[in-house]
Amino acid sequence: MNVLSLFSGIGGLELGLERAGMTVVGQVEIDPWCRKVLAKHWPEVPRHDDVRTCVDWWRSEPRPAVHVVAGGFPCQPASSAGLRLAQDDERWLWPAMARVVRELRPEYVVLENVVGLLDRGFDEVLGSLASLGFDAEWSRRAPWVHHIHASACSSWPTPRANRGGRLRLDPRIRVARQRARGVRGSTSPNLATAVGGTPNPEWVEWLMGFPAGWTDV
Ligand SMILES: C[S@@+](CC[C@H](N)C(=O)[O-])C[C@H]1O[C@@H](n2cnc3c(N)ncnc32)[C@H](O)[C@@H]1O
């Protein structure tokens, strides 16, 4: 299946979709540094800089079929770390992504976003998808990712997974917390280069599941 990736960032979604056997045929990302990271890992894939003009770009020359449109549209309007203005935030770009879906008619749409979307804007997302003829399923199967995002630079939470009636610490969180302690104590080689309390790229790559060196550009 061919994937057109929107709001590509540094390609995390593509990495997962390719591991599932899909092929990335296009990427759209506005940040020049992110595009450098994308170019390092997908040198043959055509790239564009703005989802808002993506349809014209895609149609400007012969392209392969797009079976999947995938993307994590900017989460600031819905995130609990922000004002949660949703559609009243100028960074609310779901309509731009919905337009790409409407024009290119993929078979599938894959979205990723923060959990705050569920009560800030999700009704619009589901409504657009329904009006475009899509059924929708959603999952909160990785709540630990949200917890890590929310706390990577401050205190560590105690995410728990409820298994068999008992609350247990997710093993991935235990490892992450051990590493974080190493960072704070400056004993971990991963954290040795942290400046001003900001975790270094190597550690963040590890934390977010990217291969080491992914963002070396
Ligand atoms: C939530 S991040 C996506 C992260 C991505 N899934 C990854 O794995 O790295 C949203 C991205 O949208 C990009 N972005 C914001 N406005 C955009 C626009 N108008 N067109 C294209 N990309 C945009 C941001 O630079 C950011 O990298």
Side-chain angles (χ1 to χ4, degrees):
M1 295 190 110
N2 292 338
V3 180
L4 175 62
S5 163
L6 308 181
F7 308 107
S8 303
I10 58 170
L13 207 44
E14 288 95 310
L15 194 58
L17 295 175
E18 286 201 337
R19 284 175 182 170
M22 301 187 194
T23 303
V24 177
V25 294
Q27 293 172 315
V28 186
E29 168 54 49
I30 207 162
D31 182 274
W33 180 82
C34 288
R35 286 204 303 276
K36 273 196 211 170
V37 176
L38 296 170
K40 171 180 169 182
H41 298 288
W42 287 274
E44 312 298 333
V45 169
R47 253 172 305 283
H48 183 62
D49 62 355
D50 198 328
V51 170
R52 292 166 292 191
T53 53
C54 161
V55 172
D56 291 344
W57 164 72
W58 189 252
R59 288 179 171 158
S60 65
E61 56 182 90
R63 309 277 191 190
V66 173
H67 305 113
V68 179
V69 167
F73 56 92
C75 61
Q76 294 93 334
S79 171
S80 55
L83 297 177
R84 314 204 69 211
L85 297 176
Q87 290 92 339
D88 293 331
D89 188 317
E90 62 184 11
R91 297 165 295 183
W92 177 253
L93 286 174
W94 164 249
M97 183 164 186
R99 176 172 176 250
V100 176
V101 173
R102 187 172 64 241
E103 297 290 330
L104 301 187
R105 308 296 315 172
E107 291 172 37
Y108 297 94
V109 178
V110 178
L111 304 174
E112 53 109 355
N113 219 281
V114 292
V115 71
L117 181 71
L118 292 176
D119 62 357
R120 285 291 187 281
F122 200 44
D123 47 355
E124 181 186 327
V125 173
L126 292 182
S128 313
L129 289 172
S131 72
L132 293 168
F134 288 89
D135 193 9
E137 292 179 17
W138 58 95
S139 164
R140 288 181 60 175
R141 277 183 206 146
W144 62 278
V145 173
H146 170 72
H147 287 302
I148 287 178
H149 268 289
S151 62
C153 299
S154 56
S155 60
W156 284 84
T158 309
R160 295 167 196 276
N162 190 345
R163 300 202 187 101
R166 282 185 62 221
L167 289 174
R168 292 198 328 209
L169 186 64
D170 186 313
R172 291 165 296 192
I173 292 294
R174 190 174 298 120
V175 175
R177 291 173 80 190
Q178 285 161 358
R179 291 230 181 173
R181 276 197 286 274
V183 171
R184 289 206 189 87
S186 299
T187 54
S188 159
N190 282 345
L191 288 171
T193 58
V195 176
T198 304
N200 69 33
E202 184 192 18
W203 187 77
V204 176
E205 283 166 349
W206 170 84
L207 183 71
M208 299 188 76
F210 286 97
W214 186 261
T215 60
D216 287 351
V217 288

